[in-house]
Amino acid sequence: MLPLVLVLSILAFFDGVDASYSVPRWRPDLRRNDLITGQRTTSHRRQVLEGIATDAPVTTNSTIVPVVLASDKQTYYALSTVGNVSLQLALDTASADVWVVSSQCTSSACNLPKYPLSFQSSTFVPVNNNQTSFSISFADTTGAQGFVARESVSIGNLTVPQQALGLATSSNVTFADEVSGVLGLGFPRLSTISNTVANATSFFANLSESGGLDYPLFGLSLTRDSSGTLTFGAIDGSVVANRSLIEWNEVVPFAPFLGSSDNSSTYLQWAIVLDGISVNGTAITPEPTYPVQTMNTSIALIDVGTAGIFGPYQDVARIFSTIDSARLVDDTAGQYVVPCDTQETMAFSFGGQNFTLQPTDYLIGPASGNPNLCLSWPRALPPSSDGIDWQFGAPFLRTVYSIFSLGINGKEAPMVGFYPLSNATTLTESVNSVSAFLASYSATVPTTLPNFLLSTPTVTTPSYTFNASISATPGKVVKTGLGTSTYSALLNSKHLNATAIPTLTPSPTVATLILTDTSGHTLTTTSTAFHRSITLGVPEGWQGNSASVSFASRPLAWLTLAAVVCALL
């Protein structure tokens, strides 16, 4: 199940609060389906990189594609190809299924590029004559329903043929920027589709289990615009300058759900141990909600699909108690405020290394009715029954390059790696620079704060979801369900060789060459990118009716280089 934020945190903490500070509404609410019991269920736009350069020979077993932050500031998405149809999919490391809206969905929420069923794709394979139901529910009571099918799914130059996916025929989920569905990057155990269809593992697991990657991992560079990247099989060498500085953390396995007939723990979430917290150097020891069941460790979910940072009241309240004039302003949403001119740093420790957040990393924005006070991450939420106390989304992930390694059957446990993008461990931002940052991002939140103090609420701890009698120790290496054993282990905790991880580097879109002729004249030649148009939701060259919105006037592109003479001095 997805922890922490899936109901209360998607609500605006006052009627006037901007909903863009909620958790993305397309996040599945697994508490509503039978994953809790273990039962089966039936349940902008930018140019696309064409050429890539690596520090090793170019291979077809890795790829790098752009990642864009949507205009709602909630969703990171990448361009994919489903069959022969280009669609933008939201990235989510806390779910495992691919699903897209289809042309049979005619509601207003589906007024976006869709998978056109009338195209009769040659790579489309029906499942049970399209009678196997697909259904997913969301934390804000929205959802999507449809059927399961198989279709080729491509990211960059990597393709999984006959990938099982959901095709939505009804939906009231609203996406920004013509995002047409979700690319789940979580562990196969999270998949709802695999519980209803045989041999229907998730996209990333398919690539890894088939040996179709240079290494069974993916990497994420998240930014506040369209300059991020997603890699499969390698990491972004333009971001990671020194692979030896990556801090690696073993993923925590989870015992079977209560009532399940399984007797072995397996991997469920990209969850790791949170070692410590500090504010301006003042240490705060995390207090796990289930100390006995989690071996007295606090577990943190690393989630690209979450637009914030969330933690338990017992930790979050102590964080803000160390900041002068900080106070709780909503005891339901767990929202705190701090002075906008705060000069504090927050640090979270993973694997013994501190990762420091500056004010611009954790401040959400000024309250319009109280402009000297800024809403702040983390938010506090009641306990989650899966024992995952913390959820680290975009505000944290923008400060690091994150790597998700699926592990290797019988050889290597799954790992999450963090490469810090800044080595600063103390305050580096002035009051003026923070103020300018908030103004430049139009971060003001339309709300007036209460003029009275709120007390930290008393919360009830639910029953633990998993069978605590079965061991779930970090470092567990399973025999199946991870990357194929044909991979040579590089991230084994006893023989770490992370410097051998393959890298990819985005091709430059602009390059300048300065030439001087025999007369001493300087000629500046600039290589720029021109692009071939594609249309979202419409197969290339297809003249049929896609039952989709046309976006022909808003092209995406693959890049090629052309030389243009800019100036003769």
Side-chain angles (χ1 to χ4, degrees):
M1 60 181 278
L2 294 182
L4 300 179
V5 298
L6 294 180
V7 175
L8 296 177
S9 66
I10 68 145
L11 302 175
F13 75 93
F14 290 111
D15 289 342
V17 172
D18 187 341
S20 65
Y21 300 104
S22 67
V23 171
R25 287 176 291 178
W26 48 262
R27 285 290 305 284
D29 186 0
L30 296 188
R31 288 180 292 190
R32 294 202 182 116
N33 70 30
D34 288 337
L35 279 180
I36 293 178
T37 62
Q39 300 300 312
R40 295 189 174 190
T41 63
T42 56
S43 38
H44 111 232
R45 185 170 293 113
R46 67 167 288 177
Q47 298 166 331
V48 181
L49 299 170
E50 180 183 62
I52 55 175
T54 71
D55 57 359
V58 174
T59 156
T60 59
N61 296 329
S62 56
T63 197
I64 184 168
V65 297
V67 170
V68 182
L69 177 60
S71 57
D72 64 359
K73 308 302 181 186
Q74 297 277 345
T75 304
Y76 283 95
Y77 66 85
L79 182 70
S80 67
T81 303
V82 180
N84 193 29
V85 183
S86 296
L87 298 170
Q88 295 174 154
L89 299 183
L91 306 179
D92 187 19
T93 51
S95 67
D97 290 319
V98 178
W99 71 270
V100 299
V101 296
S102 77
S103 54
Q104 285 188 12
C105 186
T106 58
S107 65
S108 59
C110 291
N111 187 27
L112 42 76
K114 310 167 198 171
Y115 179 86
L117 293 169
S118 57
F119 173 59
Q120 297 182 340
S121 166
S122 62
T123 51
F124 178 88
V125 178
V127 172
N128 189 28
N129 198 29
N130 296 341
Q131 296 303 305
T132 298
S133 298
F134 169 77
S135 181
I136 193 163
S137 298
F138 301 94
D140 60 351
T141 72
T142 63
Q145 299 76 39
F147 60 90
V148 177
R150 294 184 184 272
E151 179 61 282
S152 67
V153 175
S154 301
I155 300 290
N157 57 271
L158 299 176
T159 299
V160 175
Q162 297 189 20
Q163 172 67 49
L165 76 166
L167 291 172
T169 57
S170 64
S171 172
N172 60 351
V173 182
T174 302
F175 290 108
D177 298 355
E178 292 87 45
V179 170
S180 299
V182 174
L183 176 64
L185 297 170
F187 286 93
R189 183 176 168 186
L190 274 177
S191 170
T192 58
I193 292 176
S194 65
N195 287 323
T196 61
V197 178
N199 302 315
T201 193
S202 54
F203 177 78
F204 175 50
N206 258 327
L207 287 171
S208 301
E209 291 176 5
S210 66
L213 298 173
D214 286 327
Y215 206 74
L217 56 73
F218 65 91
L220 280 168
S221 170
L222 302 185
T223 66
R224 295 181 185 272
D225 50 35
S226 60
S227 61
T229 61
L230 166 66
T231 59
F232 283 102
I235 60 177
D236 188 338
S238 69
V239 177
V240 180
N242 185 343
R243 284 164 283 186
S244 66
L245 297 181
I246 300 169
E247 181 62 43
W248 294 99
N249 303 267
E250 292 177 340
V251 174
V252 175
F254 288 81
F257 292 104
L258 286 173
S260 170
S261 60
D262 292 341
N263 58 10
S264 177
S265 59
T266 53
Y267 294 98
L268 176 68
Q269 294 277 18
W270 292 107
I272 59 178
V273 172
L274 173 64
D275 292 328
I277 308 166
S278 64
V279 178
N280 226 33
T282 300
I284 298 169
T285 302
E287 296 180 358
T289 299
Y290 300 91
V292 175
Q293 293 87 340
T294 62
M295 294 169 286
N296 204 34
T297 59
S298 285
I299 299 175
L301 171 64
I302 311 304
D303 185 7
V304 66
T306 293
I309 301 173
F310 300 85
Y313 263 108
Q314 64 265 25
D315 292 346
V316 174
R318 288 182 294 145
I319 288 174
F320 288 107
S321 70
T322 65
I323 300 177
D324 288 342
S325 302
R327 63 185 177 95
L328 179 66
V329 294
D330 186 343
D331 54 5
T332 299
Q335 182 67 66
Y336 284 78
V337 296
V338 300
C340 292
D341 61 357
T342 185
Q343 290 284 275
E344 310 287 349
T345 58
M346 290 185 191
F348 298 94
S349 178
F350 296 99
Q353 180 173 336
N354 284 338
F355 295 88
T356 302
L357 274 61
Q358 301 290 329
T360 58
D361 298 319
Y362 63 79
L363 293 180
I364 297 173
S368 58
N370 307 77
N372 293 324
L373 292 175
C374 278
L375 281 65
S376 176
W377 302 116
R379 277 192 191 174
L381 289 176
S384 175
S385 62
D386 58 9
I388 298 180
D389 280 330
W390 280 88
Q391 193 163 6
F392 287 87
F396 174 80
L397 293 176
R398 282 193 288 261
T399 70
V400 298
Y401 183 84
S402 53
I403 306 163
F404 302 80
S405 179
L406 188 66
I408 302 173
N409 291 334
K411 293 182 179 180
E412 179 179 293
M415 307 279 276
V416 172
F418 294 138
Y419 178 80
L421 300 181
S422 170
N423 293 323
T425 58
T426 57
L427 184 71
T428 61
E429 297 177 344
S430 67
V431 172
N432 289 339
S433 65
V434 173
S435 177
F437 171 86
L438 295 174
S440 67
Y441 279 90
S442 303
T444 299
V445 182
T447 188
T448 298
L449 306 177
N451 57 6
F452 52 88
L453 296 178
L454 297 177
S455 300
T456 302
T458 301
V459 294
T460 301
T461 301
S463 299
Y464 192 56
T465 295
F466 301 101
N467 186 345
S469 66
I470 296 178
S471 175
T473 306
K476 177 184 177 69
V477 180
V478 298
K479 294 182 180 179
T480 59
L482 304 180
T484 176
S485 59
T486 57
Y487 290 109
S488 297
L490 300 178
L491 302 178
N492 186 290
S493 58
K494 296 181 180 179
H495 305 285
L496 188 66
N497 187 22
T499 56
I501 294 174
T503 64
L504 293 175
T505 303
S507 296
T509 58
V510 177
T512 301
L513 179 65
I514 301 177
L515 301 175
T516 303
D517 64 17
T518 56
S519 302
H521 295 120
T522 300
L523 181 70
T524 301
T525 301
T526 304
S527 294
T528 59
F530 68 87
H531 31 91
R532 175 175 62 85
S533 295
I534 65 173
T535 306
L536 294 174
V538 178
E540 184 176 357
W542 187 48
Q543 302 300 317
N545 179 12
S546 69
S548 176
V549 178
S550 175
F551 293 90
S553 62
R554 304 175 184 176
L556 285 152
W558 284 298
L559 302 180
T560 54
L561 295 178
V564 178
V565 175
C566 294
L568 180 62
L569 302 180

